[in-house]
Amino acid sequence: MKKATSLRIVVVAVDGDAEALRRRILQIAPQIADVAVCDSITVLRELTRFDDYDAVLVEWHAAASTEAVAAAVRACPLVPVLVVSREPASLAGEQMLRLGAQDYLVKRETNGSQLVRAIQHAVERKRLDIRLKTTLGELGQANARLKSLALRDPLTGALNRRAFDAVAGQMLARARRHGGALALLYCDLDGFKRVNDELGHAVGDGVLRGFSERARQALRRSDCLARLGGDEFVILLEEMPSAGVALATARRIRAACAVPLAVEGRRVSLRPSIGIARFPDCADLPELIRGADKAMYVAKKGAGIACFTSAGVEPAGA
């Protein structure tokens, strides 16, 4: 706890005489080293921003607005605010604490030593409060990072299979409910095994990251990119008014990959073969994946893109 002899405080009077209160404090609590006064929240904000004050003491009375107390709390979030008043604590103390004040002191019941002790306790509580909020914030950020890691492929940042299944389930439920359509694109990177075998896994990892980044550039924010494993990616396109929209997206992805990737000091030419399947042509997620996978194998034979339909698989060209 901070020593009383080093305490420095700011006094704010709400429709009152801050200077009179300052003199009174110095009279009854000579242990307090410095008492500054201010007549507005703007001045208070500047004082506590650029100088090292330990506490703010706001004088308040029943006819005054409680907004001044709330404004003082907002103006100096790192400094404890105490309220001093003639009003009994039972009438206003709880309300002041709800506004964010650390303590409520009744003038006639507070002597110098009690004031000093209240300020010291408020300083310590504020310090603990800030520490707790900081810790909770850090825990929240850590939990968010852990949650993100649990849902995303650590290499490419794309969704992992678990997250993809959950998102796909939601998209399909919306499509069924509203009579909509969606498309699944199954992507396999041509020649990826050769890259891994001949150039090494570091280059292969760079290629996977590069494809993920370029694919995202060709997608809408509402589209879902996931890595199933190896060099196999799936993309879900929601709200597909026609098969042509999915085909245009596949062509944008291939065009984005047309320029060789710069990886580990090498330039690697690598393009995806893409198979497309649509709901409601395919009734559920397993059917969508099987249909798009079949189309992808046809695309790998040279077409670059192929579509699965009720009539079979149709090459769609690069």
Side-chain angles (χ1 to χ4, degrees):
M1 187 177 293
K2 192 161 184 174
K3 295 180 180 179
T5 53
S6 63
L7 288 174
R8 302 178 70 233
I9 67 172
V10 181
V11 170
V12 184
V14 179
D15 300 328
D17 188 345
E19 180 58 33
L21 181 57
R22 186 187 76 86
R23 291 195 298 268
R24 176 61 176 162
I25 291 171
L26 291 174
Q27 179 184 359
I28 67 172
Q31 311 98 310
I32 297 178
D34 184 21
V35 181
V37 298
C38 66
D39 56 5
S40 72
I41 299 301
T42 300
V43 174
L44 172 65
R45 184 180 293 108
E46 295 304 307
L47 276 173
T48 55
R49 179 183 176 188
F50 295 109
D51 210 339
D52 184 24
Y53 288 98
D54 300 294
V56 173
L57 197 64
V58 178
E59 185 180 27
W60 180 85
H61 56 81
S65 169
T66 58
E67 173 55 28
V69 177
V73 172
R74 292 194 299 268
C76 44
L78 301 181
V79 183
V81 174
L82 299 86
V83 177
V84 60
S85 176
R86 293 188 177 89
E87 309 301 325
S90 59
L91 296 179
E94 186 177 341
Q95 181 182 17
M96 296 303 166
L97 295 179
R98 284 200 302 269
L99 291 173
Q102 288 288 324
D103 208 343
Y104 181 86
L105 307 173
V106 180
K107 281 186 176 181
R108 64 175 179 272
E109 299 174 1
T110 306
N111 59 33
S113 60
Q114 289 170 331
L115 174 62
V116 170
R117 189 161 56 251
I119 292 173
Q120 288 178 305
H121 289 166
V123 169
E124 187 64 19
R125 284 195 301 273
K126 190 68 174 181
R127 185 182 295 119
L128 291 173
D129 182 52
I130 292 171
R131 187 181 303 166
L132 176 61
K133 289 179 179 177
T134 300
T135 300
L136 290 175
E138 291 172 350
L139 286 173
Q141 292 173 2
N143 285 334
R145 287 194 295 270
L146 287 173
K147 184 177 180 181
S148 177
L149 289 173
L151 298 176
R152 292 194 176 275
D153 170 51
L155 177 63
T156 65
L159 294 183
N160 59 25
R161 181 59 187 263
R162 175 187 172 191
F164 169 73
D165 287 345
V167 172
Q170 295 171 0
M171 285 186 173
L172 281 166
R174 284 195 294 269
R176 290 190 184 99
R177 186 164 57 248
H178 301 296
L182 59 82
L184 186 144
L185 278 57
Y186 202 116
C187 307
D188 181 270
L189 305 185
D190 300 339
F192 180 74
K193 185 178 184 303
R194 179 183 56 80
V195 170
N196 259 346
D197 292 344
E198 297 180 7
L199 302 181
H201 289 283
V203 175
D205 288 350
V207 167
L208 294 174
R209 285 192 295 267
F211 170 76
S212 181
E213 292 169 3
R214 293 190 179 186
R216 285 193 189 94
Q217 296 171 7
L219 300 176
R220 305 167 301 180
R221 295 186 64 179
S222 60
D223 298 333
C224 168
L225 170 68
R227 182 187 177 202
L228 297 187
D231 62 325
E232 295 183 341
F233 292 80
V234 288
I235 298 166
L236 270 175
L237 310 176
E238 200 169 19
E239 298 178 1
M240 290 285 101
S242 69
V245 175
L247 183 57
T249 302
R251 285 173 174 158
R252 284 200 305 274
I253 293 171
R254 282 180 57 82
C257 296
V259 177
L261 298 165
V263 183
E264 299 286 327
R266 298 174 178 271
R267 291 177 64 80
V268 183
S269 297
L270 198 66
R271 298 186 71 182
S273 292
I274 303 176
I276 302 172
R278 299 180 73 242
F279 171 86
D281 296 337
C282 297
D284 54 28
L285 183 59
E287 283 193 21
L288 277 168
I289 292 176
R290 285 195 297 270
D293 188 31
K294 288 180 181 178
M296 183 270 294
Y297 276 103
V298 172
K300 286 187 79 69
K301 294 177 180 178
I305 302 171
C307 300
F308 178 86
T309 69
S310 56
V313 176
E314 299 177 359

